[in-house]
Amino acid sequence: MNDTTRNRNLRIRAALAVAAVTGLGATALTALPAAAAGEAVTVQYRQSATGSDQVEPWLKVVNTGSSSVPLSQVKVRYYFKADAGASYTYACSWAVKGCANLTGTFGTLANPTATADRYLEVGFTAGAGSLAPGADTGDMQLRFHRSNWQPLNQNDDYSFGPAQTTYANWSKVTAAVGGVPVWGTAPAGNEPTPTPTPTDPTTPPPTGAALFDDFDYTGHTDPAINAHGWSVRSNSGGPGVSGATWAPENVTFAKEGTNSIMNLRSSTAGTGESTRHTEILTRATKFKNGTYAARVRFSDAPVSGPDGDRVVQTFFTINDLKAPMADDYAEYDFEYLPNGGWGEPANILYTTSWETYRPDPWEAVNQHSESRTSYAGWHDLVLTIDDNTIVYYVDGQEFGRHDARYLPERPMSINFNQWLIDLAGQSSTTPRAYDQKVDYVLHVKDQVLTPAQVAAKVGAYRAAGTAFEDTVPSAQ
């Protein structure tokens, strides 16, 4: 991918988003299930390339237990030592289960070693099905490379086995089922631990300062939106298509089941003048450490008209850049590109943590994780920030873990927007429109909640009939 182009677009969006500051029903996120009795897998590995342009770990997952294992509950990690300053791109060359049913996400180790500070985590969609006892996935011919295709060094990678030219059990690749480690040995100091299960998942965590909004409004002109601290963007400017309008009337609200839902509709007829983007954000920049959560419905296809536009659907926090390379800048993004963009050919979900940047000449300091698969549908997005780590979760499972160097120094706003990167993805002049829906947003100040605790807290608000609360104090 073209990181420079992507990062420049992000920075434009960041500056303008800050300038503007002046799932269905009661369905909730659930805790990851523990591996059931009888569930066990091993991982077989062979290397397919010892060259210097890309890593090619070929893997098989084998069910060695006594019960069937849903592959959607299986996560496999391959550990490596990243080259200085490098970002990486995952690809699947071929898989018996189908490359479309595999996901690849990069993460960062909490305790780097001489042979590992990053990992590639391979997961499965529901389309991969289950493994019966004794069955295996067949070949998963995977690869990854530096995003700029610069040479890389595999010889210092923890999971690399240069002599492993045929499939065999390989303990330097780990596997977990339902968040519970079942195979392999992680690099020293990074042993995976089971996902914590609250003793009473219906009990919310201790009370504290929080923002919760169920988005129960009549429309974008509802006085309660302003009273609750939101701004529906109408000012012109980037990011995205030059000449586009930010249309507050395209932010609408409706009931779906028993829940109120916010909808951001962005549209175009193939020209800048016909393009309508949408954004809603908090006017206050008062949110910093703690837990951020939202239930968001991403879409792969337009609600009408031809598909193919390079759309960006988001949930993010941000503050303003005081000066080039200022170290107190912060931004944390969930960004879904259903039709690719920024050099990506197809759908991809990014989570990105920003430290700072300089617009001219361009220089950026950030860390991102990504997964190249469809995320169409409702998803529970959780971001936690404490004094040591930034962690992103999607549907209860860890998606990315980013370093302490990217922690925020100043408070931020909370934002949702949907916009088109450009008009190169679809040249038609036929009108088309894309929807991004939001069920709720939650921020709990200075508390790191598990995804199950987020679900419990949201459930408690709804059980009490509370559609809005904001007890987060103004930033000092």
Side-chain angles (χ1 to χ4, degrees), residues 32-35 176-182 191-197:
L32 287 175
V177 178
V180 178
V182 296
E191 294 76 10
T193 56
T195 301
T197 301

Side-chain angles (χ1 to χ4, degrees), residues 277-464:
H277 295 158
T278 45
E279 180 167 26
I280 185 169
L281 63 157
T282 62
R283 294 192 308 275
T285 52
K286 63 177 184 177
F287 308 98
K288 192 183 174 189
N289 284 18
T291 300
Y292 299 81
R295 185 165 173 81
V296 178
R297 187 182 187 278
F298 297 129
S299 57
D300 279 353
V303 294
S304 61
D307 196 3
D309 291 290
R310 295 170 178 170
V311 182
V312 184
Q313 301 170 348
T314 76
F315 166 43
F316 64 102
T317 69
I318 194 170
N319 62 27
D320 57 330
L321 183 73
K322 297 292 188 182
M325 299 303 287
D327 62 5
D328 62 351
Y329 176 77
E331 179 183 352
Y332 307 94
D333 305 322
F334 288 93
E335 294 176 304
Y336 181 54
L337 281 62
N339 293 316
W342 295 323
E344 291 292 332
N347 38 32
I348 184 169
L349 177 65
Y350 288 107
T351 60
T352 308
S353 301
W354 287 86
E355 168 61 15
T356 190
Y357 73 101
R358 178 175 57 205
D360 188 22
W362 179 253
E363 182 178 357
V365 182
N366 63 33
Q367 184 176 358
H368 67 268
S369 303
E370 66 278 332
S371 178
R372 292 169 175 81
T373 190
S374 172
Y375 280 86
W378 285 101
H379 295 283
D380 296 291
L381 311 178
V382 176
L383 160 68
T384 65
I385 304 173
D386 61 18
D387 291 332
N388 300 296
T389 311
I390 303 132
V391 184
Y392 298 85
Y393 299 89
V394 177
D395 297 330
Q397 301 196 37
E398 185 175 315
F399 185 93
R401 181 178 293 265
H402 296 170
D403 301 345
R405 68 181 298 194
Y406 304 101
L407 293 170
E409 288 83 9
R410 290 188 291 118
M412 302 167 287
S413 63
I414 296 175
N415 306 247
F416 299 89
N417 66 17
Q418 182 180 221
W419 49 282
L420 278 66
I421 297 172
D422 52 39
L423 296 172
Q426 173 56 265
S427 60
S428 173
T429 57
T430 301
R432 57 268 191 190
Y434 297 83
D435 282 357
Q436 174 187 340
K437 296 182 179 182
V438 183
D439 185 5
Y440 70 83
V441 67
L442 172 70
H443 170 70
V444 180
K445 177 179 169 62
D446 296 331
Q447 293 184 24
V448 171
L449 275 60
T450 66
Q453 288 175 315
V454 167
K457 195 161 185 71
V458 172
Y461 278 121
R462 288 177 165 169

